[in-house]
Amino acid sequence: MNRVVRFHEIGGPDVLRLDEVPVPQPGPGEVLIRTRALGLNRAESMFRLGQYGTAPVLPASIGYEAAGVIEALGEGVHGLTVGEAVSVVPSFTMNDYPVHGEAVLAPAHAVVAHPGQLSFEEAASVWMQFITAYGGLVDVAGIRAGDTVLISAASSSVGLAAIQIAHQAGARAIALTRTGAKRRQLLDAGADDVIATAEEDVPSRVRELTNGQGARIVFDPVGGNALADLVAAAAPGGVLVLYGVLDRTPTPLDIGQVLFKRLTLRGFTLHEITTDAQRRAEAVAFVTEGLVKGELVPTVDKAFPLDDIAEAHRYLEAGGQVGKIVITVGTDTTP
């Protein structure tokens, strides 16, 4: 049998179960992966809570990211081999291809032979964070040398990836975090400056750090009340890339600032990149090159065994992590 993570009702982490189901057989264009590590994201938490863009079909399986070894290939799959170490690029819905389980199916276009220096834990931490940051900063905002980038929720895996991509582009990364508790860790992760949003005036501090210019790029997954400060902190002609809605309270917006500062507010989701074959290929090539060169390095905050999946979700929702939360499957997490 094969254990997969499922929930039979909407709710908190306690609704998660490890259900035994038959090992699936890959159909045309599909790959069967025996997993070694699973990446955990806010998307899985929101999906379980019924707050994600796609509603779960109950009983619902879950999961966007996994790394492991190919066990079987479906008809028409080329360029991949049985026994190869691979990871999964989120380019599907969790209703169609949930990958949090011991043996899972993924569409062949989403399966990548990741750089060999990565452990399975690291490989399960790559694609969601780096392609989200690449998509928002490079593909959408056109980041360039000399830019200042405000990065909200900077201690998240995507936030840390954004810091690295900003540096790669020759830009300045200002990390935003709620309190000063993670300041040292964010500086160690490469942030040029850190602003504690609950303790400092964000627009004033950004003006101080940028000689009054403001930030050309704002990269934000939060929304809510804090967005007003980000609009105020943006430079004239700036781009605000909104890739999440962690705070669902109504967002106050000064239309005058948007108008007279000529701001662009741009909603962005990962799937905008990963469901477009050309943009997905460009993103995978960008991230792979960065990984090989050592310019992009996934940060694993903590690993939980599969049996502790509910505890891993509780840890995610507590918000104390710096980097990625990973679920290990079995004991061997090296390729």
Side-chain angles (χ1 to χ4, degrees):
M1 295 297 284
N2 167 38
R3 296 190 302 166
V4 299
V5 181
R6 291 206 300 191
F7 56 97
H8 296 252
E9 60 182 309
I10 299 298
D14 290 341
V15 303
L16 294 171
R17 300 286 183 269
L18 290 176
D19 289 346
E20 289 193 352
V21 300
V23 174
Q25 297 303 307
E30 295 181 332
V31 178
L32 176 63
I33 301 171
R34 183 66 64 172
T35 65
R36 297 292 185 271
L38 316 171
L40 185 57
N41 302 282
R42 283 282 178 180
E44 282 91 20
S45 171
M46 295 175 70
F47 187 64
R48 167 178 47 73
L49 289 166
Q51 298 175 351
Y52 198 55
T54 303
V57 178
L58 300 173
S61 297
I62 199 167
Y64 268 138
E65 289 189 282
V69 174
I70 294 177
E71 191 161 288
L73 300 172
E75 180 182 352
V77 176
H78 304 288
L80 297 167
T81 59
V82 172
E84 191 171 20
V86 293
S87 49
V88 179
V89 176
S91 54
F92 42 80
T93 72
M94 284 186 272
N95 284 324
D96 291 332
Y97 287 101
V99 298
H100 283 187
E102 293 174 330
V104 299
L105 294 177
H109 71 257
V111 179
V112 175
H114 50 259
Q117 78 267 25
L118 298 181
S119 69
F120 283 122
E121 288 183 4
E122 292 169 328
S125 306
V126 166
W127 301 113
M128 177 72 83
Q129 63 173 318
F130 282 114
I131 292 183
T132 299
Y134 161 88
L137 298 183
V138 178
D139 187 280
V140 171
I143 192 171
R144 55 182 181 258
D147 279 342
T148 294
V149 186
L150 291 189
I151 302 169
S152 300
S155 62
S156 69
S157 59
V158 176
L160 296 178
I163 291 171
Q164 295 181 31
I165 288 175
H167 282 174
Q168 190 182 44
R172 181 183 189 180
I174 299 179
L176 304 183
T177 184
R178 195 176 66 84
T179 72
K182 299 177 181 178
R183 184 182 302 274
R184 183 70 262 164
Q185 289 166 290
L186 288 168
L187 291 171
D188 290 344
D192 294 290
D193 299 282
V194 177
I195 299 175
T197 59
E199 302 167 2
E200 303 175 73
D201 182 276
V202 174
S204 296
R205 185 73 176 124
V206 171
R207 285 193 293 271
E208 178 184 334
L209 292 171
T210 61
N211 295 319
Q213 297 301 305
R216 192 183 79 82
I217 301 173
V218 176
F219 189 53
D220 177 55
V222 181
N225 288 322
L227 187 60
D229 280 346
L230 301 183
V231 168
V239 180
L240 286 78
V241 180
L242 312 176
Y243 71 96
V245 60
L246 295 177
D247 182 353
R248 291 180 172 269
T249 60
T251 298
L253 190 61
D254 186 336
I255 298 300
Q257 289 202 61
V258 175
L259 174 64
F260 293 111
K261 289 171 72 173
R262 308 178 311 282
L263 301 180
T264 298
L265 273 65
R266 173 65 150 80
F268 168 75
T269 67
L270 169 83
H271 289 87
E272 180 180 332
I273 300 290
T274 61
T275 59
D276 180 301
Q278 180 175 340
R279 292 170 81 188
R280 181 178 64 244
E282 291 171 353
V284 169
F286 176 94
V287 174
T288 300
E289 181 179 4
L291 292 168
V292 170
K293 290 181 176 179
E295 296 172 344
L296 304 181
V297 181
T299 301
V300 176
D301 175 89
K302 189 172 183 178
F304 292 81
L306 182 60
D307 287 331
D308 292 343
I309 184 65
E311 184 59 30
H313 276 244
R314 281 189 284 269
Y315 183 73
L316 171 76
E317 292 179 353
Q321 73 275 13
V322 177
K324 194 79 162 190
I325 300 166
V326 172
I327 313 299
T328 57
V329 184
T331 57
D332 181 10
T333 58
T334 58

